Amino acid sequence: MTVDITENEFSRIFDLDKVTKKSSKINIETNSEERLKLAKRFSIPNVVSLKADCSIEKLDQNKSGNFRLSVSMHAQLVRQCVVTLNDINESIEENFSIVFIINSQNNEISADEKVVEFAVDDDDIELIDDYKIDLGEYVAEYLSLSMSSYPRQAEVSGKEHGFKILEENEVASEPEKRNPFNVLESLKH
């Protein structure tokens, strides 16, 4: 990620040149103004708290990448139930890591070089042009990915509003395909 001029809601610029031999540890936390801006960004009622314990280490030349950012994120959010629209609390405890590779030649990357194969458990990889990264923006991005897609109050079954909420195992993987010509079967002579 290249740090650009646009102001992020939760910006904590860190210079990778300052990483010590072993690693650098940084704890970041949002203030009230940043929490309001993040709530607006994510279209949620409130971000109660957002903290991240970050560790940045230089990688050996044998390993791919130049630096690894490891983050343990803790957040308390107020969300709206998708059924009742009542406010509910959501707690998020998430760990993630990103490997930063310095693009030392500042060359444009061809489309073929942008394609990278990886496994789900692999660290994310970011190609950066300089030694400055925005820790706060990475935490905000991973917060958005960690939030429940459909927050729902535990005691809500959906019947109160005439809905049936299906569990994952109740949903058919593929709906049965109907042949539109089946109706012609009854017209056979």
Side-chain angles (χ1 to χ4, degrees), residues 8-29:
N8 296 323
E9 298 87 352
F10 179 40
S11 184
R12 298 293 188 277
I13 305 297
F14 182 80
D15 188 348
L16 294 172
D17 281 331
K18 295 181 180 178
V19 175
T20 60
K21 283 187 179 183
K22 289 187 177 182
S23 69
S24 293
K25 301 205 181 300
I26 304 106
N27 298 321
I28 59 176
E29 187 172 350

Side-chain angles (χ1 to χ4, degrees), residues 96-142:
F96 64 90
S97 59
I98 303 170
V99 172
F100 295 100
I101 300 174
I102 307 295
N103 182 13
S104 56
Q105 292 94 17
N106 288 329
N107 296 332
E108 284 295 316
I109 300 167
S110 70
D112 292 337
E113 292 176 313
K114 288 182 181 180
V115 176
V116 177
E117 292 185 26
F118 61 92
V120 173
D121 294 333
D122 289 349
D123 294 333
D124 289 341
I125 297 174
E126 286 281 337
L127 185 66
I128 56 176
D129 292 327
D130 60 12
Y131 283 81
K132 293 188 182 349
I133 59 171
D134 190 345
L135 296 175
E137 181 58 21
Y138 284 111
V139 170
E141 288 174 6
Y142 277 84

Side-chain angles (χ1 to χ4, degrees), residues 72-188:
S72 177
M73 175 178 58
H74 317 279
Q76 294 292 323
L77 311 174
V78 175
R79 306 282 308 278
Q80 283 187 316
C81 172
V82 294
V83 177
T84 65
L85 299 180
N86 293 336
D87 286 349
I88 57 173
N89 295 320
E90 182 176 4
S91 254
I92 296 176
E93 303 287 327
E94 187 74 28
N95 297 319
F96 64 90
S97 59
I98 303 170
V99 172
F100 295 100
I101 300 174
I102 307 295
N103 182 13
S104 56
Q105 292 94 17
N106 288 329
N107 296 332
E108 284 295 316
I109 300 167
S110 70
D112 292 337
E113 292 176 313
K114 288 182 181 180
V115 176
V116 177
E117 292 185 26
F118 61 92
V120 173
D121 294 333
D122 289 349
D123 294 333
D124 289 341
I125 297 174
E126 286 281 337
L127 185 66
I128 56 176
D129 292 327
D130 60 12
Y131 283 81
K132 293 188 182 349
I133 59 171
D134 190 345
L135 296 175
E137 181 58 21
Y138 284 111
V139 170
E141 288 174 6
Y142 277 84
L143 173 64
S144 71
L145 295 171
S146 302
M147 292 172 21
S148 172
S149 301
Y150 301 100
R152 180 168 51 98
Q153 286 176 285
E155 64 275 1
V156 172
S157 66
K159 293 178 183 174
E160 306 88 358
H161 301 286
F163 299 108
K164 179 178 182 196
I165 299 173
L166 300 176
E167 298 298 323
E168 281 188 50
N169 58 357
E170 296 176 315
V171 178
S173 59
E174 283 193 34
E176 182 183 326
K177 294 182 180 179
R178 293 185 179 181
N179 186 342
F181 298 104
N182 283 347
V183 79
L184 298 175
E185 282 284 321
S186 62
L187 299 176
K188 281 186 178 179

Side-chain angles (χ1 to χ4, degrees), residues 10-65:
F10 179 40
S11 184
R12 298 293 188 277
I13 305 297
F14 182 80
D15 188 348
L16 294 172
D17 281 331
K18 295 181 180 178
V19 175
T20 60
K21 283 187 179 183
K22 289 187 177 182
S23 69
S24 293
K25 301 205 181 300
I26 304 106
N27 298 321
I28 59 176
E29 187 172 350
T30 53
N31 61 36
S32 59
E33 183 180 336
E34 291 165 334
R35 289 191 299 272
L36 287 172
K37 288 179 180 179
L38 285 169
K40 183 177 179 182
R41 172 180 174 178
F42 299 136
S43 300
I44 61 175
N46 193 9
V47 175
V48 178
S49 69
L50 175 58
K51 301 175 186 177
D53 302 322
C54 308
S55 175
I56 303 173
E57 64 178 318
K58 287 183 182 178
L59 298 178
D60 297 336
Q61 288 183 348
N62 300 345
K63 298 180 183 176
S64 65

